Amino acid sequence: TDADRDAAVARVRADLAAAEAVIGGLPGSSRAAVRACHDLYAALTDRIAATPAAELRRRRVRVPDAVKAGIVARAALRERGRR
């Protein structure tokens, strides 16, 4: 149901917020990769949240490749400035 989806999305967003709080403390050598994974998962979560639960059962929800590329590039640039 949409309520079940919303509860799952809320749990994921709480996990993402907890992860966001510690990414800056990671070694620079891994921070950009972890940031990219975090941001990709957040984008997927947003798309799941915007999809009716009934539709989630019928089709795969994904982040388009071009959007993924932009997310990864932004993560690399963002973390590059923090080294």
Side-chain angles (χ1 to χ4, degrees):
T1 67
D2 286 344
D4 292 332
R5 180 215 46 218
D6 293 345
V9 165
R11 287 190 303 273
V12 169
R13 286 188 172 148
D15 289 345
L16 288 167
E20 175 71 35
V22 299
I23 290 175
L26 294 172
S29 60
S30 59
R31 199 169 39 239
V34 173
R35 162 71 54 206
C37 290
H38 172 279
D39 294 354
L40 286 166
Y41 201 63
L44 179 60
T45 301
D46 290 344
R47 288 173 181 272
I48 290 169
T51 304
E55 192 174 331
L56 289 173
R57 294 183 182 274
R58 293 191 305 267
R59 73 170 181 94
R60 185 176 87 164
V61 176
R62 62 184 304 275
V63 176
D65 292 344
V67 174
K68 288 179 195 174
I71 290 169
V72 170
R74 280 190 299 279
L77 290 172
R78 178 178 177 183
E79 296 305 328
R80 181 181 201 176
R82 293 186 179 187
R83 287 187 177 174

